[in-house]
């Protein structure tokens, strides 16, 4: 439901593929709080539909006849901003284009739903509907607050990837590791944080909810902007000072430890807290293998992924931080973490880099 009216969220689907329009309509049909107000095969038909009725959210393809999606997106944002979700097949060669779409004002990126099996259709439905709910709360061009908690239907426990901790991690070492989780609005927020960090920052591991293949382009882009190294994580990558590892889309990432050194494991697995990669999976692994050597940061995003994992980190002796409401695009994940008592500190986005830069000097 929309925050203002209590009525279903109205979605306009813009895609030149009739099959995709039908698939998106099908996965949205099961959500009682969302409805498809119309579909359009290209931006010109979409513009005519918008003149008749303004949607709450637009799901937009990029490659379409007569006008590409990014040009249409820029025109929407210049004339009458509305939350826009880019829906793309995410071919590797198009990933950089999707980053331009985020710059143009898109609030999220989703992969086109696969309709070949019921399994993939179900997972697509979860992702699409969650993205629509988050987008409906986002006012384009400014940071937002006030997103509601998502329901927990069809959610799997983090136990599916990692059992609950049975003892505290090894004693504190000289190595520190920062674990960050983010979702809607996180691409911009992560860029702000990572660009502000000095080259000698502690090792960082990040779960940002993204479709597969988009994370590689996102990491390359950040690597070109930041003083630290940024890369998409590969199984076995070492967590090193001055390096940030971003979990690949559609794969879980866990922190592990060998001696006094940390590395990551990248694994397949079920959705956890409605996501893959899941922040809860990363945070739980940090609680087990890093304990007081870790810092957990939960940032802007819809839902509650990461809240329970951050609480486990705090119980294991880690320092924990939640982004504050005023600086969040969607105040969902941090809100849930704060409500659980998982966050030792709550702070605005622009203060987080200074905190992380000091982590290696903590006693």
């Amino acid at each position: 439901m929309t925050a203002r009216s209590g009525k279903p969220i109205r979605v306009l689907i813009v895609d030149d593929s009739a099959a995709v329009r039908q698939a998106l309509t099908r996965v949205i049909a099961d959500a009682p709080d969302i409805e498809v107000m119309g579909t359009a095969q290209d931006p010109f038909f979409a513009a005519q539909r918008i003149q008749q009725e303004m949607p709450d959210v637009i799901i937009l393809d990029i490659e379409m006849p007569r006008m590409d999606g990014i040009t249409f997106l820029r025109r929407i944002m210049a004339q009458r901003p509305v939350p826009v979700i880019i829906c793309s097949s995410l071919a590797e060669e198009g990933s950089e284009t999707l980053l331009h779409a985020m710059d143009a004002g898109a609030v999220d990126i989703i992969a086109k739903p696969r309709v070949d099996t019921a399994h993939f259709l179900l997972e697509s439905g979860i992702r699409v509907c969650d993205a629509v709910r988050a987008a409906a709360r986002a006012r384009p061009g400014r940071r937002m607050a006030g997103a509601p908690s998502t329901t927990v239907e069809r959610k799997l426990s983090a136990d599916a990837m990692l059992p609950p901790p049975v003892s505290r991690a090894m004693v504190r070492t000289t190595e520190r590791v920062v674990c960050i989780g983010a979702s809607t609005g996180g691409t911009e927020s992560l860029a702000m944080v990572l660009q502000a960090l000095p080259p000698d920052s502690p090792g960082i591991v990040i779960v940002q909810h993204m479709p597969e293949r988009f994370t590689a382009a996102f990491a390359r882009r950040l690597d070109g902007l930041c003083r630290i190294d940024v890369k998409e994580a590969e199984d076995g990558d070492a967590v090193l000072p001055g390096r940030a590892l971003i979990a690949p889309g559609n794969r879980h990432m866990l922190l592990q430890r060998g001696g006094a050194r940390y590395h990551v494991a990248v694994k397949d697995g079920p959705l956890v807290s409605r996501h893959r990669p899941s922040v809860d999976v990363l945070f739980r692994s940090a609680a087990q293998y890093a304990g007081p050597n870790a810092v957990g940061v939960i940032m802007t995003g819809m839902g509650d992924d990461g809240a329970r994992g951050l609480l486990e980190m705090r119980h294991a002796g880690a320092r924990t931080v939640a982004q504050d409401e005023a600086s969040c695009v969607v105040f969902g994940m941090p809100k849930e973490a704060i409500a659980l008592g998982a966050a030792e500190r709550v702070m605005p986005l622009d203060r987080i880099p200074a905190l992380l830069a000091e982590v290696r000097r903590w006693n």
Side-chain angles (χ1 to χ4, degrees), residues 113-187:
R114 291 174 54 180
V115 296
D116 50 349
T117 69
H119 171 72
F120 281 110
L121 192 61
L122 173 61
E123 290 196 358
S124 293
I126 293 173
R127 175 72 178 116
V128 169
C129 292
D130 282 351
V132 168
R133 294 182 184 108
R137 292 284 180 163
R139 286 172 286 180
R142 58 184 298 181
R143 288 192 164 83
M144 302 281 304
S149 303
T150 57
T151 55
V152 295
E153 70 272 17
R154 295 181 295 198
K155 180 163 62 180
L156 296 175
S157 167
D159 295 358
M161 293 301 300
L162 193 68
V166 295
S167 62
R168 294 176 67 91
M170 293 172 59
V171 296
R172 191 183 297 276
T173 72
T174 57
E175 289 297 321
R176 301 287 188 269
V177 59
V178 174
C179 304
I180 301 177
S183 188
T184 309
T187 53

Side-chain angles (χ1 to χ4, degrees), residues 127-286:
R127 175 72 178 116
V128 169
C129 292
D130 282 351
V132 168
R133 294 182 184 108
R137 292 284 180 163
R139 286 172 286 180
R142 58 184 298 181
R143 288 192 164 83
M144 302 281 304
S149 303
T150 57
T151 55
V152 295
E153 70 272 17
R154 295 181 295 198
K155 180 163 62 180
L156 296 175
S157 167
D159 295 358
M161 293 301 300
L162 193 68
V166 295
S167 62
R168 294 176 67 91
M170 293 172 59
V171 296
R172 191 183 297 276
T173 72
T174 57
E175 289 297 321
R176 301 287 188 269
V177 59
V178 174
C179 304
I180 301 177
S183 188
T184 309
T187 53
E188 177 187 352
S189 299
L190 282 169
M192 180 181 294
V193 169
L194 297 184
Q195 286 183 79
L197 294 177
D200 63 345
S201 297
I204 301 171
V205 286
I206 299 167
V207 165
Q208 163 70 49
H209 295 156
M210 290 181 179
E212 58 185 317
R213 291 189 293 274
F214 182 59
T215 43
F218 180 56
R220 288 195 300 269
R221 185 185 188 205
L222 289 179
D223 188 58
L225 296 172
C226 299
R227 289 178 290 173
I228 65 172
D229 296 328
V230 184
K231 73 181 294 285
E232 183 184 55
E234 298 177 75
D235 189 49
D237 273 348
V239 180
L240 302 172
R243 170 191 262 191
L245 300 174
I246 298 177
N250 205 35
R251 305 286 301 281
H252 289 300
M253 182 172 72
L254 296 82
L255 182 70
Q256 296 187 337
R257 181 170 175 170
R261 300 286 180 176
Y262 296 100
H263 63 275
V264 296
V266 175
K267 298 183 178 182
D268 294 320
L271 297 180
V272 175
S273 299
R274 303 172 69 89
H275 293 282
R276 185 178 54 242
S278 165
V279 182
D280 271 326
V281 169
L282 174 63
F283 283 0
R284 169 169 281 185
S285 68

Side-chain angles (χ1 to χ4, degrees), residues 30-176:
D30 291 334
D33 56 335
I34 307 171
E35 66 180 18
V36 176
M37 59 161 270
T39 64
Q41 65 190 53
D42 66 32
F44 288 92
F45 286 108
Q48 294 174 9
R49 189 68 178 86
I50 290 172
Q51 289 178 356
Q52 300 170 8
E53 181 182 8
M54 195 68 184
D56 296 311
V57 176
I58 296 174
I59 298 179
L60 180 65
D61 189 18
I62 289 183
E63 296 182 347
M64 290 179 290
R66 299 205 288 175
M67 181 186 294
D68 67 272
I70 294 180
T71 299
F72 183 55
L73 173 61
R74 290 195 177 107
R75 292 188 180 184
I76 292 173
M77 294 304 157
Q79 296 173 10
R80 190 174 177 183
V82 61
V84 174
I85 299 169
I86 295 296
C87 182
S88 171
S89 57
L90 292 175
E92 182 65 26
E93 61 271 18
S95 295
E96 294 291 345
T97 302
L98 297 182
L99 293 173
H100 293 313
M102 299 296 287
D103 287 340
V107 298
D108 206 349
I109 302 283
I110 58 175
K112 288 190 177 181
R114 291 174 54 180
V115 296
D116 50 349
T117 69
H119 171 72
F120 281 110
L121 192 61
L122 173 61
E123 290 196 358
S124 293
I126 293 173
R127 175 72 178 116
V128 169
C129 292
D130 282 351
V132 168
R133 294 182 184 108
R137 292 284 180 163
R139 286 172 286 180
R142 58 184 298 181
R143 288 192 164 83
M144 302 281 304
S149 303
T150 57
T151 55
V152 295
E153 70 272 17
R154 295 181 295 198
K155 180 163 62 180
L156 296 175
S157 167
D159 295 358
M161 293 301 300
L162 193 68
V166 295
S167 62
R168 294 176 67 91
M170 293 172 59
V171 296
R172 191 183 297 276
T173 72
T174 57
E175 289 297 321
R176 301 287 188 269

